Amino acid sequence: MKEAYKQATYAFEEDEIPIGAVIVCNNRIIAKAYNQTEKLNDVTAHAEMLAFTAASEYLGNKYLHDCTLYVTVEPCVMCAGASYWAQLKRVVFGTTEPKRGYRRVGNLLHPKTEMVSGIMADECAALMASFFANKRN
Amino acid sequence: MKEAYKQATYAFEEDEIPIGAVIVCNNRIIAKAYNQTEKLNDVTAHAEMLAFTAASEYLGNKYLHDCTLYVTVEPCVMCAGASYWAQLKRVVFGTTEPKRGYRRVGNLLHPKTEMVSGIMADECAALMASFFANKRN
């Protein structure tokens, strides 16, 4: 999650909503990404989506059965839907997202996917709060 | 929808689940795509997702407020989630997808997005049925 947080700070520096993600397979980071929706002008360019694509490219497999996604903020519906298709082993996220997080809709993850929340939640939440406070000022 | 269906046949020919999508803005098709999850080894490469990215690239805008998505099959949770972020004007789909369609979860579209279903539903459903029948044989 520390590396995911570092990715989120890169997004912050580029004036993107600061969310970062990494994918770990067999104790190795195989993909890192941060939100780039503004830079790429593309709503699909969330950190998780970019990380899924990169991890599949690396593994040569669209399924990420042995992989854990670490992401700084609770995934949205789109990203949870993508993780369903990828059938990840585990999704670990930092802070919750009551408004746009997937859990307000229900459990959208694959039945095989374990979910863990609250890792480095305070740091991840503070980075988001700082971003939106800057935007308001 | 005829063009979306044509896109779906391209997917069929390439042994991909035959789903096609187009995006129309001001009566012009600005993006066309078909499912390429196998070819690209990427669960995020659904027809709709590729079409959203292409349309945003074309318009230079991540929002697709004046756009209609035509897609041959009811979108999945991921694609509905992406359409939420893009805030499409309209989503028009062909055949329903009771198992993997977004509607089994609830209305995931943006409140501003109008939804129309059942356009060329029989043709779109037949193409899917033909694909899965071939797979079983």
Side-chain angles (χ1 to χ4, degrees):
Chain A
M1 187 60 88
K2 274 185 194 165
E3 182 58 39
Y5 181 83
K6 199 199 265 185
Q7 292 292 314
T9 65
Y10 297 156
F12 188 94
E13 285 162 17
E14 296 184 14
D15 207 29
E16 299 273 359
I17 295 178
I19 301 178
V22 303
I23 292 178
V24 171
C25 186
N26 299 324
N27 296 315
R28 261 186 71 190
I29 292 178
I30 62 166
K32 307 178 191 182
Y34 57 90
N35 176 41
Q36 295 192 51
T37 49
E38 297 302 324
K39 185 178 172 190
L40 300 180
N41 252 334
D42 185 352
V43 297
T44 75
H46 284 192
E48 301 95 311
M49 302 297 276
L50 300 174
F52 293 152
T53 297
S56 288
E57 172 80 20
Y58 178 84
L59 295 174
N61 192 341
K62 66 178 183 155
Y63 294 113
L64 303 174
H65 290 139
D66 296 323
C67 297
T68 298
L69 166 72
Y70 292 87
V71 57
T72 56
V73 177
E74 179 183 341
C76 74
V77 166
M78 171 179 73
C79 295
S83 88
Y84 178 94
W85 291 119
Q87 302 186 13
L88 276 98
K89 184 174 161 193
R90 235 168 24 133
V91 168
V92 180
F93 65 83
T95 186
T96 56
E97 228 297 8
K99 273 192 203 162
R100 299 284 179 248
Y102 75 90
R103 293 189 303 174
R104 90 198 135 88
V105 175
N107 181 12
L108 301 181
L109 304 184
H110 194 276
K112 286 181 189 160
T113 304
E114 183 194 354
M115 189 273 284
V116 178
S117 67
I119 310 301
M120 287 180 63
D122 292 346
E123 295 93 319
C124 297
L127 191 63
M128 290 286 275
S130 170
F131 176 83
F132 288 110
N134 286 348
K135 283 282 164 197
R136 279 192 297 273
N137 294 336
Chain B
M1 187 60 88
K2 275 184 194 166
E3 183 57 42
Y5 182 83
K6 200 200 263 186
Q7 293 293 314
T9 65
Y10 298 156
F12 188 95
E13 285 162 16
E14 295 184 14
D15 207 28
E16 300 272 359
I17 294 178
I19 301 177
V22 303
I23 291 179
V24 171
C25 187
N26 299 325
N27 296 315
R28 261 185 72 190
I29 292 177
I30 63 166
K32 306 178 192 181
Y34 56 90
N35 176 41
Q36 296 193 51
T37 49
E38 297 303 323
K39 186 178 171 189
L40 300 180
N41 252 333
D42 184 351
V43 299
T44 74
H46 283 192
E48 301 94 313
M49 303 296 277
L50 300 174
F52 293 151
T53 298
S56 289
E57 172 81 19
Y58 177 85
L59 295 174
N61 191 340
K62 66 178 182 154
Y63 295 113
L64 303 174
H65 290 138
D66 296 322
C67 297
T68 298
L69 166 71
Y70 292 88
V71 57
T72 55
V73 177
E74 179 183 340
C76 74
V77 167
M78 171 180 73
C79 295
S83 88
Y84 177 94
W85 291 120
Q87 302 185 13
L88 276 98
K89 184 174 160 194
R90 235 165 28 129
V91 169
V92 180
F93 65 83
T95 187
T96 55
E97 230 296 9
K99 274 191 202 162
R100 300 284 180 248
Y102 75 91
R103 294 189 301 175
R104 91 199 134 86
V105 175
N107 182 12
L108 301 180
L109 305 183
H110 194 276
K112 286 181 191 162
T113 304
E114 181 194 353
M115 187 274 283
V116 178
S117 68
I119 309 301
M120 288 181 62
D122 291 346
E123 294 94 320
C124 298
L127 192 63
M128 290 286 274
S130 169
F131 177 82
F132 288 110
N134 286 348
K135 283 283 164 198
R136 280 192 297 273
N137 294 335

